[in-house]
Amino acid sequence: MSRTLWIVKTTLPGEMNEAEVGMWCQSIIESNLAVCVDMKRINSVFRWEGEIQNASEWDIQIKTHESSKNGLISKIKSEHLSHQIVDVTNF
């Protein structure tokens, strides 16, 4: 069994309330796809369709084992809520 721990980061829409985000994070743990999920509200500044935008989002950091990483990323992509572009970073 690999002891390598991966960190997978994504965001969720700022319109979601803390309880909704908490339930989503808990579902990741219940699916045995992660050992820990951290969530925090952030404010992001970005360029979208040529315009500078400012939006509230939830920053999600997920710690997972190498054996669960691909399943976790698939779950994130299949369940991603309202963002037009699914942002998943892992390292």
Side-chain angles (χ1 to χ4, degrees):
M1 181 168 119
S2 172
R3 295 232 180 251
T4 302
L5 199 61
W6 286 79
I7 297 177
V8 177
K9 294 183 61 95
T10 191
T11 58
L12 294 175
E15 297 83 29
M16 293 177 71
N17 66 43
E18 188 170 353
E20 292 170 318
V21 175
M23 287 173 40
W24 187 86
C25 293
Q26 185 171 331
S27 77
I28 298 293
I29 299 293
E30 289 172 346
S31 298
N32 291 319
L33 293 172
V35 295
C36 179
V37 181
D38 299 323
M39 59 185 220
K40 64 182 173 189
R41 193 175 285 278
I42 61 170
N43 192 46
S44 296
V45 179
F46 53 93
R47 185 175 302 277
W48 181 255
E49 297 180 344
E51 300 290 325
I52 296 177
Q53 305 288 321
N54 185 330
S56 173
E57 296 181 297
W58 288 94
D59 181 47
I60 308 296
Q61 178 173 290
I62 306 165
K63 296 173 187 127
T64 189
H65 293 288
E66 187 167 3
S67 61
S68 300
K69 180 181 62 131
N70 290 336
L72 172 62
I73 291 170
S74 293
K75 181 174 176 68
I76 291 169
K77 288 180 176 180
S78 71
E79 294 182 357
H80 216 271
L81 312 162
S82 89
H83 278 44
Q84 291 181 1
I85 298 175
V86 179
D87 174 33
V88 177
T89 305
N90 62 82
F91 50 94

